[in-house]
Amino acid sequence: MRYLLIDHITELEPGKVIRGVKNVAMSEDFLEFHFPRNPIMPGVMLLEALTQLTGWYEAASSDFKSWFLISRVRKSNFYGFAFPGDQVELEVEPIESEDPSVRAYRGRGTVNGKKKIVADFEGTLIPLDEIEDVQGQKRFYQVLRRELKQR
Amino acid sequence: MRFLYYDRVDSLDKNVKIAGAKTFTLSEEFLRSHFRKQALVPGVIYIEAMAQLLGWLIIYSHDFNLSAVMSLVEDVKVPPALRPGFTAEIHGEIISTSRRDSLGRAWITIDGEVVASMNRIIYSHVHKVNPQDLRDLFYYYSGIRTVSSENA
């Protein structure tokens, strides 16, 4: 499995919001186990999608100097299920944090306008160059934004 | 990748508590892209580990006649940046359970130190299940061969 839970970043307003998409495919490895003969996108994978979208938000807002690591979930509600074939539209926005060293966000995921996840979560920023090749990550961001020029 | 975040069940006490373990290795699939310069276990995986293990306690406590799907987690702490190469001891407790849903809490220790905690998790129950299938899966996944089950 490629642990990449965002397929497309559709919108970024630095300081405000990032929006993206995760398409749930029957070929996802996790659907074999979650659940046997009853494939449902795991709620935790929706939370990971929001976490990764937050990473892209912080990277794109910092000229790819920072990435986000989750350390706390204040609350995450899971509504109904996301099934294979569903397109989950995701968005993350920063919210207030009492501790200035901690970043807080609210994330939402919907399928056809119906709520699937709403999560308030927190974490810290880590220098991107400590965990990823920065140029490679920039290029992948362009792929997700569909900004790569055809050669 | 197998989406199973416990390797064994060490103890279970019907309607009360469960303990199990998961060893995180460098061969975990998710580490290929999380991340390329440093292998860090994703924080949400600990949530899944706690949810899966406690979920089995609920299923076991209801004699495999239902399945449990996470519908809310609250007040969760996870370690953001642990490198693989450790064994997580996973603990879960049922606070209340009914035919309809269950409330519980869970935590993870490494070498006796609490590294993750989930103070509130709610599961919705699903009743369209095949109890024998669930029982077989549980024996296989848990490694427990002598589960006593009143309705077996």
Side-chain angles (χ1 to χ4, degrees):
Chain A
M1 182 191 86
R2 304 181 79 197
Y3 197 68
L4 302 169
L5 278 299
I6 295 295
D7 295 327
H8 181 192
I9 296 172
T10 52
E11 195 181 338
L12 170 73
E13 284 184 63
K16 276 194 170 171
V17 69
I18 186 166
R19 293 193 173 89
V21 160
K22 162 66 186 163
N23 293 301
V24 185
M26 192 62 94
S27 59
E28 312 276 6
D29 272 344
F30 49 70
L31 294 180
E32 184 186 345
F33 295 87
H34 198 280
F35 294 91
R37 290 193 290 236
N38 193 10
I40 292 163
M41 172 91 174
V44 157
M45 287 293 104
L46 291 176
L47 190 58
E48 176 64 20
L50 291 172
T51 303
Q52 292 187 9
L53 193 60
T54 308
W56 288 115
Y57 172 83
E58 290 298 344
S61 303
S62 64
D63 192 25
F64 293 83
K65 289 188 171 60
S66 302
W67 191 261
F68 170 74
L69 296 178
I70 192 167
S71 62
R72 186 161 178 245
V73 181
R74 292 179 186 172
K75 189 174 186 177
S76 182
N77 275 290
F78 306 93
Y79 305 90
F81 301 122
F83 296 106
D86 282 349
Q87 180 171 77
V88 188
E89 295 180 52
L90 300 153
E91 65 174 39
V92 172
E93 59 186 12
I95 57 173
E96 265 189 44
S97 166
E98 286 167 16
D99 180 348
S101 67
V102 168
R103 303 289 181 111
Y105 307 86
R106 174 161 300 149
R108 293 188 190 84
T110 59
V111 174
N112 290 327
K114 283 193 177 168
K115 238 176 356 185
K116 297 296 169 185
I117 181 172
V118 177
D120 286 1
F121 54 95
E122 299 176 358
T124 51
L125 299 187
I126 183 171
L128 181 61
D129 67 358
E130 287 184 10
I131 56 166
E132 288 283 353
D133 169 59
V134 172
Q135 289 311 316
Q137 203 75 345
K138 271 187 187 175
R139 193 181 184 285
F140 192 48
Y141 179 74
Q142 290 178 308
V143 170
L144 291 172
R145 288 289 276 152
R146 304 194 178 166
E147 285 170 351
L148 274 193
K149 293 197 172 65
Q150 300 292 322
R151 287 168 205 268
Chain B
M1 181 195 81
R2 309 188 80 191
F3 196 69
L4 300 169
Y5 293 109
Y6 50 88
D7 297 324
R8 62 169 197 264
V9 171
D10 292 318
S11 66
L12 78 168
D13 184 354
K14 197 171 186 177
N15 290 310
V16 181
K17 63 185 179 183
I18 187 167
K22 157 76 184 158
T23 299
F24 286 92
T25 71
L26 196 52
S27 62
E28 304 284 355
E29 280 280 305
F30 53 72
L31 295 173
R32 271 203 296 166
S33 45
H34 202 277
F35 296 92
R36 288 169 191 82
K37 283 168 77 174
Q38 274 194 63
L40 301 178
V41 176
V44 305
I45 296 292
Y46 305 98
I47 301 176
E48 186 64 23
M50 292 186 277
Q52 287 187 0
L53 200 73
L54 185 54
W56 274 119
L57 175 63
I58 292 162
I59 294 167
Y60 173 76
S61 297
H62 287 270
D63 297 314
F64 303 97
N65 287 312
L66 54 78
S67 189
V69 181
M70 179 176 76
S71 59
L72 174 142
V73 297
E74 197 169 358
D75 195 7
V76 183
K77 286 180 187 156
V78 292
L82 287 185
R83 198 193 172 280
F86 60 88
T87 296
E89 305 278 345
I90 311 160
H91 303 266
E93 288 178 354
I94 291 176
I95 296 169
S96 66
T97 185
S98 69
R99 195 179 134 73
R100 220 176 130 209
D101 50 27
S102 294
L103 169 66
R105 60 188 285 264
W107 65 98
I108 291 175
T109 61
I110 300 173
D111 296 330
E113 188 187 334
V114 176
V115 296
S117 59
M118 181 153 68
N119 278 332
R120 198 170 145 82
I121 177 167
I122 295 177
Y123 297 82
S124 299
H125 295 168
V126 177
H127 294 275
K128 281 185 189 168
V129 297
N130 180 326
Q132 191 56 48
D133 281 359
L134 280 175
R135 199 183 297 272
D136 290 347
L137 274 179
F138 180 68
Y139 287 160
Y140 173 77
Y141 287 164
S142 68
I144 291 179
R145 288 286 160 210
T146 53
V147 177
S148 62
S149 179
E150 290 80 345
N151 299 328

